Amino acid sequence: ASHIVAEAGGTEVRAGGVRPAEARPAVPQASAARATPRASSLQLKRLVVAPAVKDREPVSSSEPLPSDGTAIYAFAELANPGGGSEDVRVTFERKGGAERVGDVTLPVPGDVSRHRTWAFTRFIRVPGVWEAVLWSESGSELGRTSFEVSAS
């Protein structure tokens, strides 16, 4: 299964190629512009925040993540057993604050029982409790998980 690793405002790496990623506002797109939003068959199995991804798995850490520009990863494991290919988006949002970074779009192939993908950001510069949020392409929230960011 192919995957994309991306960073908003950074570089999108696709198997075999590299191209600039587009930074966009990290706001879920309203589905009102679409005539008929199709039902999603995506199933979120895991959403984990980690300081790294190794061998297609998140590296666990019990320590708060630093706010010094070090990469912070949101790792998602999904199933899409009966649907067509669909995009998901990842945002990183400070709980109780206005800060929101990321807005990374990742494709999920159709008819797969297991697909692992991840996004990262280096733009979390404010300590506190943050959340990684996974959105469907129609703007529905698929899941969120909290993590602590410490002052560097």
Side-chain angles (χ1 to χ4, degrees):
S2 99
H3 66 280
I4 289 181
V5 179
E7 175 181 20
T11 303
E12 182 176 297
V13 181
R14 198 179 287 265
V18 176
R19 66 182 171 89
E22 291 182 36
R24 294 181 301 272
V27 177
Q29 300 296 318
S31 59
R34 298 188 180 159
T36 337
R38 63 184 169 126
S40 174
S41 67
L42 288 177
Q43 301 165 4
L44 178 61
K45 294 181 172 184
R46 282 191 293 167
L47 180 58
V48 178
V49 174
V53 173
K54 183 176 181 183
D55 298 326
R56 296 185 184 206
E57 284 294 326
V59 175
S60 65
S61 172
S62 59
E63 298 297 315
L65 299 164
S67 61
D68 63 0
T70 301
I72 296 175
Y73 291 81
F75 172 94
E77 182 177 341
L78 301 121
N80 191 6
S85 178
E86 191 171 334
D87 288 344
V88 294
R89 288 190 3 265
V90 177
T91 58
F92 298 87
E93 304 173 7
R94 190 165 71 90
K95 200 168 187 170
E99 294 86 0
R100 185 179 288 181
V101 297
D103 198 22
V104 179
T105 300
L106 304 166
V108 179
D111 298 319
V112 293
S113 60
R114 183 178 189 211
H115 179 73
R116 296 175 288 176
T117 188
W118 55 91
F120 70 94
T121 184
R122 296 181 190 275
F123 299 114
I124 294 179
R125 303 294 182 147
V126 178
V129 177
W130 285 73
E131 296 177 313
V133 186
L134 187 68
W135 304 94
S136 71
E137 64 183 18
S138 67
S140 299
E141 184 178 308
L142 297 172
R144 72 174 51 222
T145 187
S146 297
F147 59 98
E148 176 106 18
V149 174
S150 64
S152 348

